[in-house]
Amino acid sequence: GDLDANMSSYITYTKNDEIGSLLITIRKMMYSIKNFIIHQYQLELANRTSELKALQAQINPHFIHNTLQCLATNALEGGNLPLYQSITALGQMMHYSMDTAHNLVPLNDALHYIELYLKLQKLRFPNSLETEFDISDEAGTMLIPKMTLQPLVENSIRHGNLLKLECSRLSIRAYAEGNYLHLFVIDTGTGIAAELTRSLHQVKAAAASSDAVTFVASLNRFSKEQPSRSSAVLKSEQQLEADKENRYVSNNIGMQNVYQRLLLNYK
């Protein structure tokens, strides 16, 4: 058990014969075993530290989730059914997002999450939004990476300003063809920025290449790229107001994340 033990403390042998070679080999073996034990201990310590941090990170979300349940109960007891339904929807969304055990989920589960998301978004804006889900039975059971569909719908809501426009429509369609899932998010909003479209095509072209270095470099470059901003000089008040309106337009992290995860999972 003494990791600092040394052969020279127990035996002294200076001849360069077979016994000397044996002692040198044993000394190297002891040194290797010592390093391996220390390395293994450091790995176990790092794993325990990571597990502890993961457990600590779960405390706050679960506390919020339990608090939402209490608030929902109070709303129901007070007869405020719309508030109860909204809090319940938020709680179900949090429960779905906190489930880290499943990286792949059925498309139908993702669609249920989308329904909850849209219900909460409609609370913020008076304009109505017509939604349509056209999902084949086979497509509904197919597995997709978790949190893949939600950023696309969020892009329609926030970038396309669907809930700020009259007579808006959002359609989600999916069908299976062979081993492929065809998934469409179609809206009547303002569309996406041309810069983002070009970036998507660039990364797709790199993904088609067999050069892994080029592909990874393109992903890294795509992560850092941001749409170009207007060079017009605005007063500080105007700039602040513009930032509030366009804070999602200038940040396409959701689209980047989805596209990169799909390429890395299915390339």
Side-chain angles (χ1 to χ4, degrees), residues 25 32 45 47 53 62 88 103 114 160 181 184 203 217 232 235:
T25 303
S32 298
L45 183 62
N47 288 337
K53 290 182 178 179
H62 280 288
T88 302
N103 293 325
I114 293 302
L181 171 66
F184 303 87
V203 177
K235 295 181 180 179

Side-chain angles (χ1 to χ4, degrees), residues 6-259:
N6 196 307
M7 286 282 292
S8 60
S9 301
Y10 303 93
I11 186 172
T12 301
Y13 195 88
T14 58
K15 294 182 179 181
N16 294 324
D17 52 12
E18 291 85 352
I19 296 178
S21 298
L22 178 62
L23 292 176
I24 291 174
T25 303
I26 293 175
R27 189 179 297 114
K28 291 180 179 179
M29 181 185 68
M30 292 177 62
Y31 180 76
S32 298
I33 292 175
K34 175 183 176 180
N35 284 342
F36 174 78
I37 292 176
I38 293 176
H39 181 64
Q40 188 68 21
Y41 171 77
Q42 291 174 338
L43 285 177
E44 291 178 359
L45 183 62
N47 288 337
R48 291 185 180 182
T49 301
S50 299
E51 290 175 2
L52 179 60
K53 290 182 178 179
L55 291 173
Q56 290 175 339
Q58 291 176 1
I59 293 176
N60 286 338
H62 280 288
F63 168 76
I64 296 174
H65 183 261
N66 293 335
T67 303
L68 288 175
Q69 288 184 325
C70 294
L71 294 174
T73 302
N74 291 337
L76 186 61
E77 292 175 348
N80 193 335
L81 185 59
L83 179 59
Y84 166 77
Q85 293 174 339
S86 300
I87 297 176
T88 302
L90 179 58
Q92 292 178 9
M93 288 183 63
M94 289 193 60
H95 180 75
Y96 175 85
S97 61
M98 288 189 303
D99 180 14
T100 58
H102 302 90
N103 293 325
L104 297 175
V105 297
L107 177 59
N108 284 334
D109 288 358
L111 290 172
H112 177 64
Y113 181 87
I114 293 302
E115 290 176 335
L116 298 173
Y117 170 78
L118 292 175
K119 180 184 295 184
L120 292 177
Q121 287 295 325
K122 290 178 182 179
L123 293 175
R124 302 171 55 201
F125 302 98
N127 292 337
S128 61
L129 172 65
E130 183 180 353
T131 58
E132 177 191 15
F133 291 174
D134 183 10
I135 313 297
S136 70
D137 293 338
E138 186 179 0
T141 60
M142 295 185 73
L143 299 178
I144 64 173
K146 191 174 181 181
M147 302 304 290
T148 298
L149 185 58
Q150 190 271 344
L152 301 181
V153 175
E154 183 176 354
N155 184 76
S156 294
I157 298 296
R158 291 180 168 175
H159 294 242
N161 295 317
L162 281 184
L163 295 177
K164 296 182 180 179
L165 303 175
E166 296 183 359
C167 301
S168 297
R169 182 181 179 85
L170 174 68
S171 300
I172 300 178
R173 301 173 184 172
Y175 65 90
E177 188 175 47
N179 294 326
Y180 292 92
L181 171 66
H182 297 264
L183 182 61
F184 303 87
V185 178
I186 308 169
D187 64 71
T188 58
T190 56
I192 63 175
E195 292 86 352
L196 176 59
T197 303
R198 284 195 293 268
S199 298
L200 291 172
H201 285 303
Q202 290 172 2
V203 177
K204 185 177 181 180
S209 172
S210 59
D211 186 356
V213 175
T214 302
F215 176 51
V216 173
S218 298
L219 287 181
N220 292 333
R221 184 174 64 253
F222 179 57
S223 298
K224 296 176 182 178
E225 286 181 350
Q226 296 293 340
S228 59
R229 298 182 178 180
S230 174
S231 59
V233 179
L234 301 177
K235 295 181 180 179
S236 57
E237 295 82 0
Q238 293 176 318
Q239 184 66 58
L240 179 60
E241 201 62 33
D243 289 342
K244 288 180 180 179
E245 286 297 320
N246 301 312
R247 61 187 182 278
Y248 299 114
V249 177
S250 61
N251 190 346
N252 296 297
I253 292 177
M255 294 288 288
Q256 295 177 10
N257 183 284
V258 169
Y259 200 58

